[in-house]
Amino acid sequence: MKDAIGYLRVSTQEQGRSGLGLAAQRFDIERFGKREGLSVTSWHRDIQTGAGKDAILLRPGLAAALKEAR
């Protein structure tokens, strides 16, 4: 299996607190990875709206995932 990095994001604090959106995303990513022969070895997440001009500045989890991928 190849290693992969998982990234999860929800838009609101409420979604982040409930964990439901994050849990569903993680489940789907893990299922996809298994089907494609990938093993998610690390996870990053953000709870941040999609509004804004620079997603990297607003989403430290995304920035960390991209840095790790490089």
Side-chain angles (χ1 to χ4, degrees):
M1 284 196 148
K2 291 183 178 182
D3 290 345
I5 299 165
Y7 175 69
L8 312 167
R9 186 186 72 82
V10 291
S11 297
T12 68
Q13 291 295 328
E14 184 178 321
Q15 291 171 321
R17 279 192 300 274
S18 76
L20 296 176
L22 296 171
Q25 288 176 40
R26 187 174 180 135
F27 177 80
D28 287 343
I29 291 168
E30 287 176 337
R31 186 173 56 181
F32 173 81
K34 195 179 240 186
R35 190 173 62 239
E36 298 296 320
L38 303 169
S39 173
V40 181
T41 57
S42 65
W43 291 92
H44 299 276
R45 73 177 190 166
D46 287 314
I47 300 171
Q48 175 65 40
T49 181
K53 292 183 179 182
D54 193 344
I56 299 298
L57 292 176
L58 294 173
R59 300 181 186 150
L62 177 59
L66 292 171
K67 183 176 180 180
E68 184 178 341
R70 289 187 188 117

